[in-house]
Amino acid sequence: MRERKAQVWGLLAPTLFLMFAIGVVPVIYILYLSAFKYNVFSRVGMVYTGFNNFRKLVFDTDFLKSLRLGLTFVALCCGIELPLGLLIANLLTLEFRGKGLFRTIMTLPLAMAPITIGSMWVLLMNPDIGPIPFYLRKLGIEYNIGVNPTQAFFTTVLVDIWHWTPFVVLTFMAGLSALPKQPYEAALVDGAGRWQVFRYITVPLLKPVILTTLFIRIMDTFRVFDEVWMLTSGGPGTATRYVSIHLVRLVLQSMEYGYSSAMSLFLLYLTIVMCWLLMAFISSSQEAA
């Protein structure tokens, strides 16, 4: 028995070592840096400041604005992607001509890297050569995400919805295919309509899948970077400077590693709290079911 345990730990050791080296050591180093005022180009070097970086964070209006903007982005993307994904997944349970082709085309964005998505949309939205501004101009709408903050913000929301709604559809389709048939047969016998079946059977049974998908999408949209960086780089002004973009710009421009580390730790804490709340909600819904 002891030899078997040693064999199991021997097989797990490389994975545990990698997880510790990649996941734990950087966090410990960031925790250490957050207690210092540290600029790589400063002659003073590292100056111990205790919790001053965290105190500065609370009153940093630029950071709070980017955090509020990032949370708005998360709410808009998740608030559109989940209902839209659920609608498309339900429609795909029906039989119609060209269903296989539509499903294949729909999942193509998932096969593309986020940086490629960003590059593609830069060309589509270019005010000089892009087809979307060209046709909108024919309708009398001047569309330029380089100068219009509102258009830039909603374009990043549109790109995220276009990119990740297929993922939501696939998870809902997997959930719908696993639902039991008996409640639907009973509802059919009782004469329930399509909306009643969807409202009182499909949605309650699919609740764990909906919450799990929401959990994944919140985490993904909160750390969005590649597409937005390629599309607007956080501009114009601060219109699309979400918290991940703000953090990278702070590190690259000011080289304030200590303050940036404190900001990263705060975002990690916020992410853990959101994960914990959602996991608790998912667990309680599963127990209730």
Side-chain angles (χ1 to χ4, degrees), residues 51 68 94 145 153 188 205 257 260 276 282:
F51 291 101
R68 188 168 56 249
L94 306 175
I145 61 171
F153 176 76
L188 192 64
L205 289 176
Y257 284 7
S260 303
W276 178 78
I282 291 170

Side-chain angles (χ1 to χ4, degrees), residues 106-113 117 163-168 170:
M106 182 196 68
T107 53
L108 282 179
L110 291 178
M112 302 169 72
I117 298 281
H163 190 187
W164 291 110
T165 298
F167 167 78
V168 178
L170 290 180

Side-chain angles (χ1 to χ4, degrees), residues 52-214:
N52 276 349
N53 284 328
F54 293 96
R55 191 180 297 121
K56 181 181 173 185
L57 199 62
V58 176
F59 301 103
D60 187 343
T61 53
D62 290 337
F63 169 71
L64 295 177
K65 185 179 178 183
S66 67
L67 183 62
R68 188 168 56 249
L69 200 62
L71 292 174
T72 307
F73 178 77
V74 170
L76 269 177
C77 290
C78 294
I80 295 174
E81 286 171 14
L82 265 73
L84 183 62
L86 187 58
L87 175 67
I88 297 174
N90 270 283
L91 290 176
L92 287 175
T93 59
L94 306 175
E95 292 300 328
F96 58 89
R97 199 172 182 181
K99 177 180 171 180
L101 178 64
F102 175 76
R103 191 187 296 177
T104 304
I105 294 173
M106 182 196 68
T107 53
L108 282 179
L110 291 178
M112 302 169 72
I115 200 80
T116 310
I117 298 281
S119 305
M120 187 180 74
W121 278 87
V122 165
L123 293 174
L124 287 172
M125 292 295 179
N126 189 296
D128 297 321
I129 60 171
I132 294 177
F134 174 77
Y135 287 111
L136 287 176
R137 201 174 296 122
K138 284 186 174 295
L139 297 173
I141 302 171
E142 195 61 36
Y143 202 86
N144 189 343
I145 61 171
V147 297
N148 191 313
T150 306
Q151 290 177 355
F153 176 76
F154 283 104
T155 300
T156 58
V157 173
L158 175 67
V159 171
D160 194 85
I161 292 169
W162 178 83
H163 190 187
W164 291 110
T165 298
F167 167 78
V168 178
V169 173
L170 290 180
T171 55
F172 285 163
M173 284 177 66
L176 287 170
S177 64
L179 295 182
K181 303 292 182 189
Q182 293 84 354
Y184 291 93
E185 292 170 355
L188 192 64
V189 171
D190 292 339
R194 280 183 179 276
W195 170 249
Q196 290 172 315
V197 170
F198 177 77
R199 170 70 179 82
Y200 295 106
I201 297 178
T202 302
V203 172
L205 289 176
L206 207 60
K207 194 175 176 182
V209 179
I210 294 172
L211 290 175
T212 305
T213 309
L214 176 64

